[in-house]
């Protein structure tokens, strides 16, 4: 699949196989979740091509998402309307002959380009005075407990109950591509277990302390376990600290290309991650993932895919943030209170299971 291909489809949007455009959330974890929507659509309407609007950052994910025809790459500014850019995007969308756009976000401007493009059916939740921009309005969002439940509701005919077992997001990296990546990176740890660490996080308090990651890598190194560190440019400094602790058993694989992180995760035996986009990617790749949660709820924000372990701070007599006893505010929890020994134990369980 070529995510930068913009080959025009037929202009007859009334035809039975008119392509469908998904306008997903832009954060990586939410973007991965939207593959559940793709799979629901393809199960109901296999003849409809499905495209996703994507940022340049998230675009590599589409090459590994079964059922996605292609991505429409467009980086729109988040803090301004930039009407001219929306109009230019609309011109590109118009060429594709979409029959429907599923607008996942409730933001007003998320629906602007699909409307300007004249996509006949524009489906979205009621909100932000989008009457007209959205012409297939869905109600009842407050009764849907999770973001993924709202996305699923948009993918189904209005009033249709969601299936009890939602299809899971799925990312598939061909074996040949994994082999070629190892050769290009000159990675020769074949046969030795690899645990990939994803220390990056967006949002206050979601990152497990770098010192804890370093202690984990230091404890794994004498057992012959290699630690790979993935993330963006902001994770260069944490990677250096982890490598200093683990020595030549650790490798810095951070950078500004998400594809490199996807391939590293696909080649891993286990993954340790904060509540982040890379956690969702690792889980969708089917990698045993140990997720550290602090001020966010796993029920709301963990991947739909099963995790090897969900580690949360232990209950304390007094809340570490407000000092109250019995505080139930999940936002007050600290990832630092998940000790390295707990994560090390979870990693060892995963690796011992693989060895059997």
């Amino acid at each position: 699949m070529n995510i930068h291909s913009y080959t025009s489809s037929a202009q007859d949007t009334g035809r039975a196989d008119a392509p469908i455009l998904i306008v997903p959330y832009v954060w990586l974890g939410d973007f991965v979740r939207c593959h559940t929507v793709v799979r629901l659509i393809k199960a109901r309407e296999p003849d409809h091509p499905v495209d996703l609007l994507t940022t340049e950052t998230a675009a590599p994910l589409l090459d590994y998402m079964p059922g996605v025809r292609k991505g429409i790459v467009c980086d729109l500014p988040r803090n301004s309307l930039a009407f001219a850019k929306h109009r230019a995007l609309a011109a590109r969308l118009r060429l594709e002959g979409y029959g429907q756009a599923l607008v996942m976000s409730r933001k007003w401007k998320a629906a602007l380009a699909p409307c300007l493009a004249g996509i006949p059916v524009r489906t979205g939740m009621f909100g932000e005075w989008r009457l007209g921009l959205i012409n297939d309005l869905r109600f009842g969002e407050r009764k849907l407990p999770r973001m993924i439940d709202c996305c699923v509701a948009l993918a189904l005919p209005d009033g249709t109950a969601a299936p009890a077992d939602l299809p899971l997001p799925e990312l598939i990296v061909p074996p040949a591509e994994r082999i070629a990546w190892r050769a290009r990176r000159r990675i020769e740890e074949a046969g030795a277990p690899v645990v990939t660490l994803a220390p990056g996080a967006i949002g206050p308090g979601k990152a497990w302390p770098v010192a804890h990651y370093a202690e984990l890598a230091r404890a794994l190194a004498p057992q012959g376990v290699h630690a790979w560190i993935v993330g963006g440019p902001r994770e260069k400094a944490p990677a250096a600290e982890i490598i200093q602790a683990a020595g030549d058993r650790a490798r810095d694989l951070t950078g500004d290309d998400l594809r490199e992180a996807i391939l590293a995760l696909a080649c891993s035996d286990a993954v340790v991650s904060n509540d982040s986009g890379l956690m969702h990617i690792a889980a969708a790749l089917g990698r045993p993932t140990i997720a550290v949660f602090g001020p966010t709820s796993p029920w709301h924000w963990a991947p739909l895919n099963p995790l090897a372990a969900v580690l949360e701070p232990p209950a304390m007599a007094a809340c570490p943030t407000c000092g109250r006893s019995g505080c139930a505010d999940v936002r007050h929890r600290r990832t630092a209170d998940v000790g390295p020994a707990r994560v090390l134990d979870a990693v060892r369980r995963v690796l011992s299971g693989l060895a059997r």
Side-chain angles (χ1 to χ4, degrees), residues 264-278:
L265 292 168
C267 293
S268 304
D269 296 300
V271 178
V272 178
S273 177
N274 304 318
D275 174 14
S276 68
L278 292 181

Side-chain angles (χ1 to χ4, degrees), residues 209-214 218 235-246:
V210 177
H212 285 13
Y213 275 106
R218 183 188 297 112
E235 279 68 67
K236 282 288 181 187
E241 185 174 337
I242 295 167
I243 289 171
Q244 185 176 11

